[in-house]
Amino acid sequence: HQGDNGASENYDIGAVNISGTDVTFEDCTFEGCAWAYRFSSTLRATNTLRRCAFVSNAMSAKASTVRTMGAACLEMEGCRFTRNCNDNEKHEAATCLVLDGSGESRFVDCLFDDNRNRGTSHGLVLTRGASSTFERCRFVGNSTRQTGYWNAAATVFCAYYTGGLDVQHLVRDCHFASNALDTASADDVWAGVVSCRTGEKWTFLNCSVEDFSFACAGQTSLFRAAGQGALAIVNCGVRGTTSTDWTRTADLRVIGSPVVTVLNSAFGSGDAAYVPLVAAEGAKLRAVQSVLQGLDETSFALDAAGGFFGIDTQAPRFTKTQRGPNGAEAFGVRLVEACRGAKTCLAGREACYREEP
């Protein structure tokens, strides 16, 4: 489909509009649409898309390149989202995916590159009650330039509203590289990788994040957890974050009383003013066997159930490993004996990533 103008503020039109039916698309391209793909269902139904491309779709209003509604579920394998743009002046929009309703969607070996969030677009992926899994996906060279008001959005993942549901998200073996966020409002709080709130439970497992750049007027962070949400960062490496103002930026920001766990992960940057963590007083944060460069544990007043255990505050060491099966170059060092059998682990300050065959 090329050039179909399906944008609608009432979500009722798409270039492809499917309702309540199981459908499979293979090797298709959706290009130049205002709204490429809309899938809704009152009962559980699944659409499968394999090796499809979404290219240069440009949205406004509440549209997105792909949107699910109701109990609709998506299975995407080997798909690509590239050069899509959303210049939105309303809530509930995202550039690539809006996962709305109560469905469960899964994305495997997908590439999100050179997409652009503008206006008040909430990010590449907006969740509104639906659960999701992202496996071996790459997010490369995407950017946000915030020109309108919206608080608590993100460049990549934004949790908007769960409707009181207990929603689970798993992001595993994914690679985030050279993405950017430029905020204009000093009053807003934005995130780079994820902004999660009440009702949302996010787990990042075996992920690598590198060279994220912030140009910020307001508060920013790579990972933002707030309200009564939950965030777990396990076996992950974060390096090379840059910011125009580190008094407003941190790799991890905890607001309110979400439950946050950092396990066996490494955070570091070459910026002299780098800040790994900002956490509110009484935050339910537990960081275990991890590297948090420059962290001053005495400056935090965490909840009694939280705390820092086995934290190294020196700069972690990262080196490239060979290219993985999905084409992503993770970073790490050679495996040592203690790491065998694990996807990633820490050996002192060395972040180790298994080299894929």
Side-chain angles (χ1 to χ4, degrees), residues 238-268:
V238 178
R239 74 167 187 175
T241 306
T242 60
S243 174
T244 57
D245 185 355
W246 278 106
T247 66
R248 298 176 180 270
T249 303
D251 270 347
L252 172 60
R253 185 181 300 274
V254 183
I255 303 171
S257 55
V259 177
V260 179
T261 302
V262 178
L263 175 63
N264 198 45
S265 296
F267 294 77

Side-chain angles (χ1 to χ4, degrees), residues 121-204:
S121 175
H122 294 2
L124 301 184
V125 181
L126 172 69
T127 64
R128 296 187 74 243
S131 298
S132 66
T133 298
F134 290 80
E135 298 182 38
R136 301 190 304 275
C137 293
R138 290 181 291 153
F139 302 83
V140 181
N142 303 288
S143 65
T144 292
R145 183 176 300 127
Q146 178 232 17
T147 57
Y149 172 80
W150 175 246
N151 199 13
T155 293
V156 182
F157 297 111
C158 175
Y160 181 79
Y161 173 68
T162 66
L165 300 175
D166 184 10
V167 182
Q168 304 277 348
H169 302 280
L170 174 62
V171 183
R172 62 177 303 164
D173 301 303
C174 291
H175 185 58
F176 304 79
S178 302
N179 300 291
L181 171 61
D182 182 350
T183 67
S185 172
D187 298 324
D188 292 351
V189 181
W190 281 66
V193 174
V194 66
S195 177
C196 64
R197 297 188 289 176
T198 298
E200 296 273 342
K201 295 181 179 179
W202 287 81
T203 299
F204 288 79

Side-chain angles (χ1 to χ4, degrees), residues 221-243:
S221 58
L222 283 178
F223 298 88
R224 174 189 180 273
Q228 302 297 317
L231 171 65
I233 302 171
V234 182
N235 297 352
C236 293
V238 178
R239 74 167 187 175
T241 306
T242 60
S243 174

